[in-house]
Amino acid sequence: ETYLEQGKLDDAIEYFNQSVELNPANQTAKLGLSEAYVKKADQMTDKTNANGAISLYNEAIKFNPQNAAAFAGLGATYETLE
């Protein structure tokens, strides 16, 4: 079971970041990093954490521009700010 599956998101982010640093072409690590950022941002759904969530969703998009969950979460977070 991986850190991501265990919900240890900070550990997963650290691990995937290290993997990307060692091999910037590692698509598996980039996809995992994107997923970890989305899961962490999803936990920050209230208005007080909106800026942190927006930052994490943007990081997720940076590593996987096809991550629909990141775009959906980003939109929903902006909506809470209105």
Side-chain angles (χ1 to χ4, degrees):
E1 195 170 348
T2 66
Y3 287 135
L4 195 56
E5 292 168 339
Q6 294 172 0
K8 296 179 179 178
L9 302 177
D10 290 332
D11 291 332
I13 289 168
E14 181 180 342
Y15 170 78
F16 286 127
N17 265 320
Q18 289 174 358
S19 295
V20 170
E21 285 176 19
L22 290 171
N23 181 4
N26 185 338
Q27 289 301 312
T28 302
K30 288 180 181 180
L31 294 175
L33 186 55
S34 182
E35 184 178 347
Y37 279 131
V38 168
K39 286 186 178 208
K40 185 165 182 167
D42 285 347
Q43 294 176 349
M44 307 170 88
T45 56
D46 63 15
K47 211 173 197 176
T48 59
N49 290 320
N51 287 333
I54 289 167
S55 176
L56 291 172
Y57 286 126
N58 282 323
E59 283 296 303
I61 292 165
K62 179 174 96 176
F63 287 102
N64 179 8
Q66 305 301 316
N67 190 332
F71 283 104
L74 188 59
T77 302
Y78 277 120
E79 191 172 48
T80 66
L81 296 176
E82 294 179 357

